[in-house]
Amino acid sequence: MTITAFKALHQRRQLDYLARHGTRLAERPEDSFDLVLYAVEGFYAETWRSRGEEAVLFIHVFQKPAGLGEYLARVQLPGNL
């Protein structure tokens, strides 16, 4: 699926698509939100939930690796690498 086709889906269908075809890569907190990052066929999707809530407020979709910066900053490599 292309990023354009994904964006055209209703949020409920986007979430279903992520569950079936997305690869969960990482999680991180942002203010009062919990974010989950997925890789999907050439683009990334980030779900935003209020902390402690089940419902997704919105899904941020992007292709550029610059959007991964907040996740990459959290990667800790062992000292012997």
Side-chain angles (χ1 to χ4, degrees), residues 1 6 8-19 59:
M1 175 175 294
F6 184 84
L9 296 175
H10 185 276
Q11 181 175 300
R12 201 168 301 162
R13 301 225 26 225
Q14 289 177 340
L15 290 169
D16 182 54
Y17 194 84
L18 289 176
I59 300 173

Side-chain angles (χ1 to χ4, degrees), residues 7-35:
K7 286 180 175 182
L9 296 175
H10 185 276
Q11 181 175 300
R12 201 168 301 162
R13 301 225 26 225
Q14 289 177 340
L15 290 169
D16 182 54
Y17 194 84
L18 289 176
R20 292 173 184 245
H21 304 285
T23 300
R24 190 176 180 139
L25 298 177
E27 300 176 24
R28 72 180 179 92
E30 177 74 25
D31 297 325
S32 62
F33 302 99
D34 289 324
L35 285 63

Side-chain angles (χ1 to χ4, degrees), residues 35-77:
L35 285 63
V36 179
L37 177 68
Y38 295 86
V40 186
E41 301 172 33
F43 63 91
Y44 300 98
E46 187 177 57
T47 59
W48 287 64
R49 289 184 166 94
S50 290
R51 186 148 304 121
E53 298 293 325
E54 185 65 27
V56 171
L57 298 173
F58 66 92
I59 300 173
H60 174 229
V61 182
F62 61 96
Q63 286 181 300
K64 297 187 179 186
L68 301 172
E70 290 296 322
Y71 293 97
L72 296 175
R74 298 172 182 278
V75 174
Q76 300 272 330
L77 295 176

